[in-house]
Amino acid sequence: MAEAHQAVAFQFTVTPEGLDFHLSREAVKQLYLAGISSWKKRLVRAKNSFLTGVYPASPSSWMVVVMATAGSFYCQVDPSLGMIARIRHCLPERGHHAGLGRGQQTGLGQGHCRAGTGDTVQGSALSPLSPPPPPHAPQALMKVLSVRKPLLYSFQTSLPKLPVPPVEATITRYLESVRPLMDDEKYGKMEALAKEFKEKTAPRLQKYLILKSWWTTNYVSDWWEEYIYLRGRSPLMVNSNYYAMDFLYITPTHVQAARAGNMVHAILLYRRKLDRGEIPPVMALGIVPMCSYQSERMFNTTRIPGKETDTLLHLVDSKHLAVYHKGRFYKVWLYYGGQLLRPRDLQLQFQRILDDPSPPQPGEERLAALTAGERVPWAEARARFFSHGKNKASLDTIERAAFFLTLDEEEHGYSLGREGCMDAYAKSLLHGQCYDRWFDKSFTLVVYKNGKLGANAEHSWADAPIIGHLWEFALGTDKFQLGYTEAGNCLGEPDTMLAPPQRLQWDIPQECRAAIESSYRLAKALADDVDFCCFQFSQFGKGLIKKCRTSPDAFIQISLQLAHFRDKGCFCLTYEASMTRLFREGRTETVRSCTAEATAFVRSMVDAHQTRAERQRLFKLAAEKHQHMYRMAMTGAGIDRHLFCLYVVSRYLGVQSPFLAQVLSEPWRLSTSQTPQQQLKVFDLDKYPDHVSTGGGFGPVADDGYGVSYIIAGENLINFHVSSKFSSPETDSKRFGRNIRQAMLDIAELFDKQGEKAR
């Protein structure tokens, strides 16, 4: 998603002193620090795993198995089917008598304990040295031990590490990816740079990277978080943060405070499940577990600005919410008497805020514009004006809140026949008024006056599918479990004895107000330049696409290539976000969708002399290539993260690489991402087809490029979110949207007569 924007402008400085020896020492120091951070995380997770239980068993069941196996020794029963005897054979014996000595008893006791532990942890994975177990024994053992369903972090320790690809393979794939974008002369120069890098510079950099991969859990993620996100000095708004929308057609209630009450309660229910690890882990294809570590910082997290780099403040818990309405900030307690507030109580608290007639304090209304502007001015203002007194106390309330809530005065959402309504909805969620979202919070929940809602999420702590998981749970819980009365209020009776929300107090001097105004002007100019086109492609969905015998994602990506060529008359470097969560602490990898096969198909579509059969053949080749590239990215054989890490190592070593400098400076003029759909089965979409998700989107990545997000919402609907900049004469979001629609129809027509009927 938005990480492509940061990757384009990637740069940082390190200042090692001395000769080459000191440069190498600086690199080793960074690897050491990365390893220390990684091992701290492992120790914390090990503690949590012991406390919450290790799938498929728990600490109590571990004790039961150990005691049972130890007891079986005295009853002369061997439950391990010969394993204990083999373990005993490998243990040293301290006794010297022919009879069973004390040392032998100890060794045999150790054997029983280790066998018991092995049975618990490994489940059906019995030792290959032991005799074959009876039929169905492994399955029966798993059934006995699996007293619970897998928890969120049950499979974390079993996930593999992200491998470091060979340099030669990465360079070969890189050259293949840029070949369709370069003429012979430019490609020849790039090939020469790549050859020089591979032979002279890369071997040294690769050694450091392999060392890091041994020492840390993931050789990419910590550097990716730091250098792509936290060291970025440009505004988070538009450039990095992204948004998520409400149901497309359904609004459960038009009572603003009631919708906020149910949604906040549903989100807090998710937080409780998250804290207890009760959320089932996401499984690829339903069987392969995916890494869950990104969920750890979903709540109670804020990005703190710094002059050189930001930091993430994450608390174990937070019992309050920060709320913004009409220029005023409030603190709302989420618990009463140790119990989570019910939705009806939350509605009462939010309604009290809506009914509050008090005006904003001087400088309070646009205070959050500091989080929308550049990071250095915000860091300086924070240190100068918010480090003591009531300002510090109020800022701490916001930064230490579970998350941020905006009760917005506008009305947004889909309305049949109202042109541009979804474009305005997207812009509102992406940047709002530039001062009514706290862009540093892990996410801001926005509830509009008409009951519609959305979210704006900060990107450094996790990627969009993590928020998508929460969003599906909250929307489904709000509509299908919590519900509303006929009047649109939350169910139940409110407790009117609750203390009202607390107004945050500020003392903002004139110099601070000037800083706020400066950040606001910059953010306003950035927001006004964003051109959005959100539209529903309802002519067909994944049902018809499957008749083309390809994946829906490949179909859409090739359609985007055709649309872009028709829009600009050329091809461009294309970024599609792919997950690497099959590996521990995996985040994203890039799928370079503009392949030689895709460009060959696009040229055939604009060539009037090409036959239908030839176009079908070229499309199938392009789709197969895209699916292959996607699989490579997901399985750790991508291009861009490896090159990125090699570049980081080169900067620490003080090594100049023209090849890496060229690679990291290439702009992604087409950045794309697919929003996951139905990660959870909170409700049956086939039974409630009008409850489709609208998805979400992000701002334009390059000044002269497009950002495209899409969600395949059921069998007959695809929602697109297209962004660009008004200031670029080369882009027009609505024009590109029309080209996308036409490209989809043209490709469908190649394979199915229904594609022609869809026109």
Side-chain angles (χ1 to χ4, degrees), residues 261-373:
N262 260 10
M263 276 299 290
V264 168
H265 186 80
I267 289 172
L268 293 174
L269 290 178
Y270 186 91
R271 184 178 72 162
R272 185 165 64 186
K273 286 179 173 288
L274 185 66
D275 292 342
R276 296 174 179 177
E278 294 174 350
I279 299 170
V282 177
M283 312 287 279
L285 304 176
I287 55 173
V288 183
M290 303 181 74
C291 181
S292 301
Y293 101 99
Q294 292 184 56
S295 300
E296 294 176 356
R297 297 178 295 182
M298 181 179 296
F299 296 97
N300 329 318
T301 300
T302 303
R303 179 166 170 169
I304 306 299
K307 290 187 177 181
E308 294 184 0
T309 182
D310 294 350
T311 55
L312 286 175
L313 171 68
H314 173 66
L315 305 176
V316 175
D317 192 17
S318 176
K319 298 187 181 299
H320 72 273
L321 191 66
V323 182
Y324 179 92
H325 176 249
K326 279 190 174 181
R328 296 88 47 87
F329 291 87
Y330 297 83
K331 178 180 183 179
V332 176
W333 290 105
L334 300 172
Y335 293 84
Y336 181 73
Q339 298 295 318
L340 184 64
L341 287 186
R342 297 169 301 165
R344 190 65 180 89
D345 293 331
L346 288 168
Q347 178 184 345
L348 171 65
Q349 297 293 63
F350 299 144
Q351 191 60 52
R352 286 171 169 174
I353 293 174
L354 294 173
D355 294 339
D356 184 359
S358 62
Q361 300 163 73
E364 181 183 17
E365 182 179 16
R366 294 182 177 179
L367 173 61
L370 290 169
T371 70

Side-chain angles (χ1 to χ4, degrees), residues 14-35:
V14 291
T15 55
E17 299 177 355
L19 301 175
D20 287 346
F21 170 77
H22 293 99
L23 293 174
S24 300
R25 187 176 66 183
E26 176 67 23
V28 172
K29 174 185 174 183
Q30 295 302 321
L31 301 187
Y32 169 77
L33 293 176

Side-chain angles (χ1 to χ4, degrees), residues 37 41 45 152-153 221-222 225-226 229-230 271 274-275 292-303 311-316 401-403 440-443 458-463 466-467 585 587:
S37 176
K41 291 180 182 178
R45 291 191 188 118
L152 182 62
Y153 303 111
S221 293
D222 57 339
E225 179 178 301
E226 180 178 359
Y229 294 116
L230 297 180
R271 184 178 72 162
L274 185 66
D275 292 342
S292 301
Y293 101 99
Q294 292 184 56
S295 300
E296 294 176 356
R297 297 178 295 182
M298 181 179 296
F299 296 97
N300 329 318
T301 300
T302 303
R303 179 166 170 169
T311 55
L312 286 175
L313 171 68
H314 173 66
L315 305 176
V316 175
F403 55 95
D440 287 355
K441 288 299 291 183
S442 55
F443 67 93
E458 201 275 316
H459 212 321
S460 64
W461 62 273
D463 301 310
I466 307 303
I467 278 289
E585 297 188 12
R587 288 200 62 159

